[in-house]
Structure formats: C-alpha cells, structure tokens
C-alpha cells in the first residue's frame, strides 16, 4: 500500500475552495500501482478532513495517527486509527515512519517541522502554500 501523509491547517480558517482544488490536483499526481491510503491527524476538521473526504470519494483507505488530545474533537471515521502519546506532536515519529510521501497544504509550526524532518529522512515532500483568512 502506498501511504500519503497530509498535513496542513486544522483549526485556522482558510479558503476551502482553493484547498479543495489543491487536494484534488495533488491526489491526481499520485501515481501508484498499489492501493493508496491517506494518512493524517484523525480529526474531522480543516485540511485533514478534506483530504479524508477526497480519499473516500476515490475509494482510498484512510488512516488517522494522532495523540489522545485529538479525541477531544470530532474524529473522521478512518479505516485505521493509531493514538500515540498525550501531547500534540507525540505522534509525529510514527506518522512520518508510516508514509511514503508527505503533502503539506498551508499549515502551522507542526506541519513545517514534520516537512523538515521528512526531508531529512529522505521522504518525498510536496508543499502547497495556502494563506490563512
């Protein structure tokens, strides 16, 4: 299975139309002979939620990897869920070890940090800028 990590805005407002276009174009670029799974932060908000919804439309698997704080929010009904630690960021190592490609769409401090770590690990990273509103 080819696993694509998605990071980006969760709680911050952004242009959802532009984000949807970015997600669809990015997903269209994914060329894999294997099944595809979208891996993100489990919550049903922001970019992770939009990416999970598009994955479902395409018949792709969904995987949520988050710390226990994510359970305080509405969670997406992912096919597979992993809860790691109790603080935001505790899940980053498992998240990055679980993916073949990382896509960042906008995002904050943790998204940028995970991109830098992914690059150091030799993972392919696609970045798309999306201004907050």
């Amino acid at each position: 299975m080819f696993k694509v990590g998605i990071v980006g805005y969760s709680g911050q407002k952004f242009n959802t139309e532009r984000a949807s276009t970015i997600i669809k174009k990015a997903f269209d670029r994914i060329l894999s002979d294997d099944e595809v799974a979208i891996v993100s932060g489990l919550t049903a908000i922001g970019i992770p939620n939009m990416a999970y919804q598009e994955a479902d439309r395409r018949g792709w698997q969904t995987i949520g990897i988050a710390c226990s704080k994510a359970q305080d929010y509405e969670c997406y009904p992912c096919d597979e869920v992993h809860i790691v630690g109790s603080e935001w960021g505790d899940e980053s190592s498992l998240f990055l070890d679980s993916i073949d490609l990382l896509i960042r769409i906008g995002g904050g401090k943790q998204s940028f940090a995970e991109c830098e770590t992914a690059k150091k690990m030799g993972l392919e990273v696609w970045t798309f800028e999306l201004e907050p509103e």
Side-chain angles (χ1 to χ4, degrees), residues 21-114:
T21 299
I22 291 170
I23 290 167
K24 288 175 185 170
K25 286 183 177 178
F27 285 12
D28 287 347
R29 286 179 49 192
I30 296 168
L31 302 175
S32 176
D33 293 331
D34 296 326
E35 284 188 53
V36 176
I38 296 301
V39 184
S40 199
L42 183 60
T43 59
I45 53 177
I47 296 296
N49 185 57
M50 295 177 73
Y52 286 143
Q53 288 176 347
E54 183 61 24
D56 278 342
R57 281 191 280 280
R58 293 170 185 248
W60 294 355
Q61 296 290 305
T62 54
I63 301 172
I65 300 177
C67 73
S68 61
K69 284 186 177 179
Q71 295 171 313
D72 294 337
Y73 299 86
E74 181 182 353
C75 291
Y76 196 84
C78 291
D79 298 307
E80 188 178 315
V81 173
H82 301 274
I83 302 298
V84 180
S86 58
E87 297 298 323
W88 300 114
D90 287 353
E91 73 284 358
S92 290
S93 291
L94 176 62
F95 171 71
L96 293 171
D97 286 341
S98 299
I99 61 174
D100 302 297
L101 164 69
L102 180 62
I103 299 174
R104 178 184 60 78
I105 302 170
K109 183 179 173 184
Q110 185 170 334
S111 296
F112 282 87
E114 287 173 341

